Coordinates of all heavy atoms in Angstrom, one line a residue:
M597 N 0.8 -1.2 0.0 CA 0.0 0.0 0.0 C 0.9 1.2 0.0 O 1.9 1.3 0.6 CB -0.9 0.0 1.2 CG -1.9 -1.0 1.3 SD -3.1 -0.8 2.6 CE -3.9 0.6 2.1
Q598 N 0.4 2.2 -0.7 CA 1.1 3.5 -0.7 C 0.5 4.4 0.3 O -0.7 4.4 0.6 CB 1.0 4.1 -2.1 CG 1.6 3.3 -3.2 CD 1.5 4.0 -4.5 OE1 0.7 4.9 -4.7 NE2 2.3 3.6 -5.5
P599 N 1.3 5.3 0.9 CA 0.7 6.3 1.8 C -0.2 7.3 1.1 O 0.0 7.6 0.0 CB 2.0 7.0 2.4 CG 3.0 6.7 1.4 CD 2.7 5.5 0.7
S600 N -1.2 7.7 1.9 CA -2.2 8.6 1.4 C -1.7 10.0 1.3 O -0.9 10.4 2.2 CB -3.4 8.6 2.3 OG -4.3 9.6 2.0
D601 N -2.0 10.8 0.3 CA -1.6 12.2 0.1 C -2.4 13.1 0.9 O -2.1 14.3 1.1 CB -1.6 12.6 -1.3 CG -0.5 11.9 -2.1 OD1 0.5 11.5 -1.5 OD2 -0.6 11.8 -3.3
G602 N -3.6 12.7 1.4 CA -4.5 13.6 2.1 C -5.8 12.9 2.4 O -5.9 11.7 2.1
P603 N -6.8 13.7 2.9 CA -8.0 13.0 3.2 C -8.8 12.6 1.9 O -8.6 13.2 0.9 CB -8.8 14.1 4.0 CG -8.2 15.4 3.5 CD -6.7 15.1 3.2
D604 N -9.6 11.6 2.0 CA -10.4 11.2 0.9 C -11.5 12.2 0.7 O -12.3 12.6 1.6 CB -11.0 9.8 1.2 CG -10.0 8.7 1.2 OD1 -8.9 8.9 0.5 OD2 -10.2 7.7 1.9
I605 N -11.6 12.7 -0.5 CA -12.7 13.7 -0.9 C -13.6 13.0 -1.9 O -13.2 12.5 -2.9 CB -12.0 14.9 -1.6 CG1 -11.1 15.6 -0.6 CG2 -13.1 15.9 -2.0 CD1 -10.3 16.7 -1.2
P606 N -14.9 13.0 -1.6 CA -15.9 12.4 -2.5 C -15.9 13.1 -3.8 O -15.7 14.3 -3.9 CB -17.2 12.4 -1.7 CG -17.0 13.5 -0.7 CD -15.6 13.6 -0.4
D607 N -16.3 12.4 -4.9 CA -16.4 13.0 -6.2 C -17.7 13.7 -6.4 O -17.7 14.6 -7.3 CB -16.2 11.9 -7.3 CG -14.8 11.3 -7.3 OD1 -13.9 12.0 -6.8 OD2 -14.7 10.1 -7.7
S608 N -18.7 13.4 -5.7 CA -20.0 14.1 -5.9 C -20.1 15.3 -5.0 O -19.7 15.3 -3.9 CB -21.1 13.1 -5.7 OG -21.1 12.7 -4.3
P609 N -20.8 16.3 -5.5 CA -21.0 17.5 -4.7 C -22.0 17.2 -3.6 O -22.9 16.3 -3.7 CB -21.5 18.6 -5.7 CG -22.1 17.8 -6.8 CD -21.3 16.5 -6.9
V610 N -22.0 18.1 -2.6 CA -23.0 17.9 -1.5 C -24.3 18.4 -2.0 O -24.5 19.5 -2.5 CB -22.5 18.7 -0.3 CG1 -23.5 18.6 0.9 CG2 -21.2 18.2 0.2
A611 N -25.4 17.6 -1.7 CA -26.7 17.9 -2.2 C -27.3 19.0 -1.2 O -27.1 18.9 0.0 CB -27.6 16.7 -2.2
V612 N -27.9 20.0 -1.8 CA -28.6 21.1 -1.0 C -30.0 20.7 -0.8 O -30.7 20.4 -1.7 CB -28.5 22.4 -1.7 CG1 -29.2 23.5 -0.9 CG2 -27.0 22.8 -1.9
P613 N -30.5 20.7 0.5 CA -31.9 20.4 0.7 C -32.8 21.4 0.0 O -32.5 22.6 -0.1 CB -32.1 20.5 2.2 CG -30.7 20.6 2.8 CD -29.8 21.0 1.7
P614 N -34.0 20.9 -0.5 CA -34.9 21.9 -1.3 C -35.4 23.0 -0.4 O -35.6 24.1 -0.9 CB -36.0 21.0 -1.7 CG -35.7 19.6 -1.3 CD -34.5 19.6 -0.5
W615 N -35.6 22.8 0.9 CA -36.1 23.9 1.7 C -35.1 25.0 1.9 O -35.4 26.1 2.0 CB -36.5 23.4 3.1 CG -35.4 22.7 3.9 CD1 -35.0 21.4 3.9 CD2 -34.5 23.4 4.7 NE1 -34.0 21.2 4.7 CE2 -33.6 22.4 5.2 CE3 -34.3 24.7 5.1 CZ2 -32.6 22.8 6.1 CZ3 -33.3 25.0 6.0 CH2 -32.4 24.1 6.5
R616 N -33.8 24.6 1.8 CA -32.7 25.7 1.9 C -32.7 26.5 0.6 O -32.5 27.7 0.7 CB -31.4 25.0 2.2 CG -30.3 26.1 2.4 CD -29.0 25.5 2.9 NE -29.2 25.0 4.2 CZ -28.3 24.3 4.9 NH1 -27.1 24.2 4.4 NH2 -28.5 23.8 6.1
A617 N -32.8 25.8 -0.5 CA -32.8 26.6 -1.8 C -34.0 27.5 -1.8 O -33.9 28.7 -2.3 CB -32.9 25.6 -2.9
R618 N -35.2 27.1 -1.4 CA -36.3 28.0 -1.3 C -36.1 29.1 -0.4 O -36.5 30.3 -0.6 CB -37.6 27.2 -1.0 CG -38.2 26.4 -2.1 CD -39.5 25.8 -1.8 NE -39.5 25.0 -0.6 CZ -39.5 23.7 -0.6 NH1 -39.4 23.0 -1.7 NH2 -39.5 23.0 0.6
S619 N -35.5 28.9 0.8 CA -35.3 29.9 1.7 C -34.3 31.0 1.2 O -34.5 32.2 1.4 CB -34.7 29.3 3.0 OG -35.6 28.4 3.6
V620 N -33.3 30.5 0.5 CA -32.4 31.5 -0.1 C -33.0 32.3 -1.2 O -32.8 33.5 -1.3 CB -31.1 30.7 -0.7 CG1 -30.3 31.7 -1.5 CG2 -30.3 30.2 0.5
A621 N -33.9 31.7 -2.0 CA -34.6 32.4 -3.0 C -35.6 33.4 -2.4 O -35.7 34.5 -2.9 CB -35.4 31.4 -3.9
L622 N -36.3 33.0 -1.4 CA -37.2 33.9 -0.7 C -36.5 35.1 -0.1 O -36.9 36.2 -0.2 CB -38.0 33.2 0.4 CG -39.0 34.0 1.2 CD1 -40.1 34.5 0.2 CD2 -39.6 33.2 2.3
A623 N -35.3 34.8 0.6 CA -34.5 35.9 1.2 C -34.0 36.9 0.1 O -34.0 38.1 0.3 CB -33.3 35.3 1.9
G624 N -33.7 36.4 -1.1 CA -33.2 37.2 -2.2 C -34.4 38.1 -2.7 O -34.2 39.3 -3.0
A625 N -35.6 37.5 -2.8 CA -36.7 38.3 -3.3 C -37.1 39.3 -2.3 O -37.4 40.5 -2.7 CB -37.9 37.3 -3.5
V626 N -37.0 39.1 -1.0 CA -37.4 40.1 0.0 C -36.3 41.2 0.0 O -36.7 42.4 0.0 CB -37.4 39.4 1.4 CG1 -37.5 40.5 2.5 CG2 -38.7 38.5 1.5
A627 N -35.1 40.8 -0.2 CA -34.0 41.9 -0.3 C -34.2 42.7 -1.5 O -34.0 44.0 -1.4 CB -32.6 41.2 -0.3
A628 N -34.6 42.1 -2.6 CA -34.8 42.9 -3.8 C -36.0 43.9 -3.7 O -36.0 45.0 -4.1 CB -35.0 42.0 -5.0
A629 N -37.1 43.4 -3.0 CA -38.2 44.2 -2.8 C -37.9 45.4 -1.9 O -38.4 46.5 -2.1 CB -39.4 43.4 -2.3
L630 N -37.2 45.1 -0.8 CA -36.8 46.2 0.1 C -35.9 47.2 -0.6 O -36.0 48.4 -0.4 CB -36.1 45.7 1.3 CG -37.0 44.9 2.3 CD1 -36.1 44.3 3.4 CD2 -38.0 45.8 2.9
G631 N -35.0 46.7 -1.5 CA -34.1 47.7 -2.2 C -34.9 48.5 -3.2 O -34.6 49.7 -3.3
L632 N -35.9 47.9 -3.9 CA -36.7 48.7 -4.8 C -37.5 49.7 -4.1 O -37.7 50.8 -4.5 CB -37.5 47.7 -5.6 CG -38.3 48.3 -6.8 CD1 -37.4 48.9 -7.8 CD2 -39.2 47.3 -7.4
G633 N -38.1 49.3 -2.9 CA -38.8 50.2 -2.1 C -38.0 51.4 -1.6 O -38.5 52.5 -1.5
W634 N -36.8 51.1 -1.3 CA -35.9 52.2 -0.8 C -35.6 53.2 -1.9 O -35.5 54.4 -1.7 CB -34.5 51.5 -0.4 CG -33.6 52.5 0.2 CD1 -32.6 53.1 -0.5 CD2 -33.5 53.0 1.5 NE1 -31.9 54.0 0.3 CE2 -32.4 53.9 1.6 CE3 -34.2 52.7 2.6 CZ2 -32.1 54.5 2.7 CZ3 -33.9 53.4 3.8 CH2 -32.8 54.3 3.8
L635 N -35.6 52.8 -3.2 CA -35.4 53.7 -4.3 C -36.7 54.4 -4.7 O -36.5 55.5 -5.4 CB -34.9 52.9 -5.5 CG -33.5 52.3 -5.4 CD1 -33.2 51.4 -6.6 CD2 -32.5 53.3 -5.3
C636 N -37.8 54.0 -4.3 CA -39.1 54.6 -4.8 C -39.7 55.6 -3.9 O -40.5 56.4 -4.3 CB -40.1 53.5 -5.1 SG -39.6 52.4 -6.5
F637 N -39.4 55.6 -2.6 CA -40.0 56.5 -1.6 C -39.1 57.6 -1.3 O -37.9 57.4 -1.2 CB -40.4 55.7 -0.4 CG -41.6 54.8 -0.6 CD1 -41.3 53.4 -0.7 CD2 -42.9 55.2 -0.7 CE1 -42.4 52.5 -0.9 CE2 -43.9 54.4 -0.9 CZ -43.6 53.0 -1.0
F638 N -39.6 58.8 -1.1 CA -38.8 59.9 -0.6 C -39.7 60.9 0.2 O -41.0 60.8 0.1 CB -38.1 60.7 -1.8 CG -39.1 61.4 -2.7 CD1 -39.3 62.7 -2.5 CD2 -39.7 60.7 -3.7 CE1 -40.2 63.4 -3.4 CE2 -40.6 61.4 -4.6 CZ -40.8 62.7 -4.4
T639 N -39.2 61.7 1.0 CA -39.9 62.7 1.8 C -39.6 64.1 1.4 O -38.5 64.4 1.0 CB -39.7 62.5 3.3 OG1 -38.3 62.7 3.6 CG2 -40.1 61.1 3.8
V640 N -40.6 65.0 1.6 CA -40.4 66.4 1.4 C -40.7 67.0 2.7 O -41.8 66.8 3.3 CB -41.3 66.9 0.3 CG1 -41.1 68.4 0.1 CG2 -41.1 66.2 -1.0
D641 N -39.7 67.8 3.3 CA -39.9 68.4 4.6 C -40.8 69.7 4.4 O -41.0 70.2 3.3 CB -38.5 68.8 5.2 CG -37.7 67.6 5.6 OD1 -38.3 66.6 5.9 OD2 -36.5 67.7 5.6
A642 N -41.2 70.2 5.5 CA -42.1 71.4 5.5 C -41.4 72.6 5.0 O -42.1 73.5 4.4 CB -42.6 71.6 7.0
G643 N -40.1 72.7 5.1 CA -39.4 73.9 4.6 C -38.7 73.7 3.2 O -37.8 74.4 2.9
E644 N -39.2 72.7 2.4 CA -38.6 72.4 1.2 C -39.6 72.4 0.0 O -40.8 72.1 0.2 CB -37.9 71.1 1.2 CG -36.7 71.0 2.1 CD -36.1 69.6 2.1 OE1 -36.8 68.6 1.9 OE2 -34.9 69.5 2.4
Y645 N -39.1 72.6 -1.2 CA -39.8 72.2 -2.4 C -39.0 71.1 -3.0 O -37.8 71.0 -2.8 CB -39.8 73.4 -3.4 CG -40.6 74.5 -3.0 CD1 -40.2 75.8 -3.2 CD2 -41.9 74.4 -2.4 CE1 -41.0 76.9 -2.9 CE2 -42.7 75.5 -2.1 CZ -42.2 76.7 -2.3 OH -43.0 77.8 -2.0
A646 N -39.6 70.2 -3.8 CA -38.9 69.1 -4.5 C -39.3 69.1 -5.9 O -40.4 69.4 -6.3 CB -39.3 67.8 -3.8
V647 N -38.3 68.8 -6.8 CA -38.5 68.7 -8.2 C -38.1 67.3 -8.6 O -36.9 66.9 -8.3 CB -37.7 69.7 -9.0 CG1 -37.8 69.5 -10.5 CG2 -38.1 71.1 -8.6
V648 N -39.0 66.5 -9.1 CA -38.7 65.1 -9.6 C -38.3 65.2 -11.0 O -39.0 65.8 -11.9 CB -39.9 64.2 -9.4 CG1 -39.6 62.8 -9.9 CG2 -40.3 64.2 -7.9
T649 N -37.2 64.6 -11.4 CA -36.7 64.6 -12.8 C -36.5 63.2 -13.3 O -36.2 62.3 -12.5 CB -35.4 65.4 -12.9 OG1 -34.4 64.7 -12.1 CG2 -35.5 66.8 -12.5
A650 N -36.8 63.0 -14.6 CA -36.5 61.8 -15.2 C -35.6 62.1 -16.4 O -35.9 62.8 -17.3 CB -37.8 61.2 -15.8
F651 N -34.4 61.5 -16.2 CA -33.3 61.7 -17.2 C -33.0 63.2 -17.4 O -32.7 63.7 -18.6 CB -33.6 61.0 -18.5 CG -34.0 59.6 -18.4 CD1 -35.2 59.1 -18.6 CD2 -33.0 58.7 -18.0 CE1 -35.6 57.8 -18.4 CE2 -33.3 57.3 -17.8 CZ -34.6 56.9 -18.0
G652 N -33.1 64.0 -16.4 CA -32.8 65.4 -16.5 C -34.0 66.3 -16.8 O -33.9 67.6 -16.7
D653 N -35.1 65.8 -17.2 CA -36.3 66.6 -17.5 C -37.2 66.6 -16.3 O -37.5 65.6 -15.8 CB -37.0 66.0 -18.7 CG -36.2 66.0 -20.0 OD1 -35.4 67.0 -20.2 OD2 -36.4 65.1 -20.8
P654 N -37.7 67.8 -15.9 CA -38.6 67.9 -14.8 C -39.9 67.2 -15.1 O -40.5 67.4 -16.1 CB -38.8 69.4 -14.6 CG -38.1 70.1 -15.7 CD -37.3 69.1 -16.5
V655 N -40.4 66.4 -14.2 CA -41.6 65.7 -14.3 C -42.7 66.2 -13.4 O -43.8 66.2 -13.7 CB -41.3 64.2 -14.1 CG1 -42.6 63.4 -14.1 CG2 -40.3 63.6 -15.0
Q656 N -42.2 66.6 -12.2 CA -43.2 66.9 -11.1 C -42.6 67.9 -10.2 O -41.4 67.8 -9.8 CB -43.7 65.7 -10.4 CG -44.7 65.9 -9.4 CD -45.1 64.6 -8.7 OE1 -44.4 63.6 -8.8 NE2 -46.2 64.5 -8.0
V657 N -43.3 68.9 -9.7 CA -42.9 69.9 -8.7 C -43.8 69.7 -7.5 O -45.0 69.7 -7.6 CB -43.0 71.3 -9.2 CG1 -42.6 72.3 -8.1 CG2 -42.1 71.5 -10.4
I658 N -43.2 69.5 -6.3 CA -43.9 69.2 -5.1 C -43.7 70.3 -4.1 O -42.5 70.6 -3.8 CB -43.5 67.8 -4.5 CG1 -43.7 66.7 -5.5 CG2 -44.2 67.6 -3.2 CD1 -43.1 65.4 -5.2
T659 N -44.7 71.0 -3.7 CA -44.6 72.1 -2.8 C -45.2 71.8 -1.4 O -45.0 72.6 -0.5 CB -45.4 73.3 -3.3 OG1 -46.7 73.0 -3.5 CG2 -44.7 73.8 -4.6
E660 N -45.8 70.6 -1.2 CA -46.4 70.3 0.1 C -45.6 69.2 0.7 O -45.1 68.3 0.0 CB -47.8 69.8 -0.1 CG -48.8 70.9 -0.6 CD -50.2 70.4 -0.7 OE1 -50.5 69.3 -0.2 OE2 -51.0 71.1 -1.3
P661 N -45.4 69.2 2.1 CA -44.6 68.2 2.7 C -45.3 66.9 2.8 O -46.5 66.8 2.7 CB -44.4 68.8 4.1 CG -45.5 69.7 4.3 CD -45.9 70.3 3.0
G662 N -44.5 65.8 2.9 CA -45.1 64.5 3.1 C -44.2 63.4 2.4 O -43.2 63.7 1.8
L663 N -44.7 62.2 2.5 CA -44.1 61.0 1.9 C -44.6 60.9 0.5 O -45.8 61.0 0.2 CB -44.4 59.8 2.7 CG -43.8 58.4 2.2 CD1 -42.3 58.5 2.3 CD2 -44.4 57.3 3.0
R664 N -43.7 60.7 -0.5 CA -44.0 60.6 -1.9 C -43.4 59.4 -2.5 O -42.5 58.8 -2.0 CB -43.5 61.9 -2.6 CG -43.9 63.2 -2.1 CD -45.4 63.4 -2.2 NE -45.7 64.7 -1.6 CZ -46.9 65.2 -1.7 NH1 -47.9 64.6 -2.4 NH2 -47.2 66.3 -1.1
V665 N -43.9 59.1 -3.7 CA -43.4 57.9 -4.5 C -43.0 58.3 -5.8 O -43.6 59.2 -6.4 CB -44.6 56.9 -4.6 CG1 -44.1 55.6 -5.4 CG2 -45.1 56.4 -3.3
K666 N -41.9 57.7 -6.3 CA -41.4 58.0 -7.6 C -40.9 56.7 -8.2 O -40.8 55.7 -7.6 CB -40.2 59.0 -7.5 CG -39.0 58.4 -6.9 CD -37.8 59.4 -6.9 CE -36.6 58.8 -6.3 NZ -36.0 57.7 -7.1
A667 N -40.6 56.7 -9.5 CA -40.1 55.6 -10.2 C -38.6 55.4 -9.9 O -37.9 56.4 -9.6 CB -40.3 55.7 -11.7
P668 N -38.0 54.2 -9.9 CA -36.6 54.1 -9.5 C -35.6 54.8 -10.4 O -34.6 55.2 -10.0 CB -36.4 52.6 -9.6 CG -37.7 51.9 -9.6 CD -38.7 52.9 -10.1
Y669 N -36.0 55.1 -11.6 CA -35.1 55.8 -12.5 C -35.2 57.3 -12.4 O -34.4 58.0 -13.0 CB -35.3 55.3 -14.0 CG -36.7 55.7 -14.5 CD1 -37.0 56.9 -15.0 CD2 -37.7 54.7 -14.4 CE1 -38.3 57.2 -15.4 CE2 -39.0 55.0 -14.8 CZ -39.3 56.2 -15.3 OH -40.6 56.5 -15.8
Q670 N -36.1 57.8 -11.6 CA -36.2 59.2 -11.4 C -35.4 59.7 -10.3 O -35.1 58.9 -9.4 CB -37.7 59.6 -11.2 CG -38.6 59.4 -12.3 CD -40.1 59.6 -12.0 OE1 -40.5 59.4 -10.9 NE2 -40.8 60.0 -13.0
S671 N -35.0 61.0 -10.3 CA -34.2 61.5 -9.2 C -35.0 62.7 -8.6 O -35.8 63.3 -9.3 CB -32.8 61.9 -9.6 OG -32.9 62.9 -10.7
V672 N -34.6 63.1 -7.4 CA -35.3 64.2 -6.7 C -34.3 65.2 -6.3 O -33.2 64.9 -5.7 CB -36.0 63.6 -5.4 CG1 -36.7 64.8 -4.7 CG2 -37.0 62.6 -5.8
R673 N -34.6 66.5 -6.5 CA -33.8 67.6 -6.1 C -34.6 68.4 -5.1 O -35.8 68.7 -5.5 CB -33.3 68.5 -7.2 CG -32.4 67.9 -8.2 CD -31.0 67.7 -7.7 NE -30.4 68.9 -7.1 CZ -29.6 69.7 -7.7 NH1 -29.2 69.5 -8.9 NH2 -29.2 70.8 -7.0
T674 N -34.1 68.7 -4.0 CA -34.9 69.5 -3.0 C -34.3 70.9 -2.9 O -33.0 71.1 -3.0 CB -34.9 68.8 -1.6 OG1 -33.6 68.7 -1.2 CG2 -35.6 67.5 -1.7
F675 N -35.1 71.9 -2.7 CA -34.7 73.3 -2.5 C -35.4 73.9 -1.3 O -36.5 73.6 -1.0 CB -35.1 74.1 -3.8 CG -34.5 73.6 -5.0 CD1 -35.3 72.7 -5.8 CD2 -33.3 73.9 -5.4 CE1 -34.7 72.2 -7.0 CE2 -32.7 73.4 -6.6 CZ -33.5 72.6 -7.4
D676 N -34.7 74.7 -0.6 CA -35.2 75.4 0.6 C -36.2 76.4 0.1 O -35.9 77.3 -0.7 CB -34.1 76.1 1.3 CG -34.5 76.6 2.7 OD1 -35.7 76.5 3.0 OD2 -33.6 77.1 3.4
N677 N -37.5 76.3 0.6 CA -38.5 77.2 0.1 C -38.4 78.7 0.6 O -39.1 79.6 0.2 CB -39.9 76.7 0.4 CG -40.3 76.6 1.9 OD1 -39.5 77.0 2.7 ND2 -41.4 76.0 2.1
R678 N -37.5 78.9 1.6 CA -37.3 80.3 2.1 C -36.4 81.1 1.1 O -36.3 82.3 1.2 CB -36.6 80.2 3.4 CG -37.4 79.6 4.5 CD -36.7 79.5 5.8 NE -35.6 78.5 5.6 CZ -34.6 78.3 6.5 NH1 -34.6 78.9 7.6 NH2 -33.7 77.4 6.2
L679 N -35.8 80.4 0.1 CA -34.9 81.1 -0.8 C -35.7 81.7 -2.0 O -35.2 82.5 -2.7 CB -33.9 80.1 -1.4 CG -32.9 79.5 -0.4 CD1 -32.1 78.5 -1.2 CD2 -32.1 80.6 0.2
F680 N -37.0 81.3 -2.2 CA -37.8 81.8 -3.3 C -38.6 83.0 -2.8 O -39.4 82.9 -1.9 CB -38.7 80.7 -3.8 CG -38.0 79.6 -4.4 CD1 -37.7 78.4 -3.7 CD2 -37.5 79.7 -5.7 CE1 -37.0 77.4 -4.3 CE2 -36.8 78.6 -6.3 CZ -36.6 77.5 -5.5
V681 N -38.4 84.1 -3.4 CA -39.1 85.4 -3.1 C -39.9 85.7 -4.3 O -39.5 85.9 -5.4 CB -38.1 86.5 -2.7 CG1 -38.8 87.8 -2.4 CG2 -37.2 86.1 -1.6
Y682 N -41.3 85.9 -4.0 CA -42.2 86.3 -5.1 C -42.3 87.8 -5.1 O -42.6 88.4 -4.1 CB -43.5 85.6 -4.9 CG -43.5 84.1 -4.9 CD1 -43.5 83.4 -3.8 CD2 -43.3 83.5 -6.1 CE1 -43.5 82.0 -3.8 CE2 -43.3 82.1 -6.2 CZ -43.3 81.4 -5.0 OH -43.3 80.0 -5.1
T683 N -42.1 88.4 -6.2 CA -42.2 89.9 -6.3 C -43.3 90.2 -7.3 O -43.8 89.5 -8.1 CB -40.9 90.5 -6.8 OG1 -40.6 89.9 -8.1 CG2 -39.8 90.3 -5.8

């Protein structure tokens, strides 16, 4: 007999239980939904105006405070409403 070079390693991969695969898929779906939700909601404070833009073009002007929803590809710029003086 020849001496062994190391531990015996089986040729077949370890089988993953189906419940674990479903759990990982569910966790990934929940993480994706939370990430998408994080991108879609924004707030406008009482002392601000907000301009929602899509690819640089203004889409919506928001002058009232509160929680708002936008598409993930849109961006929001906020401005202090004390800076605007109407003459």
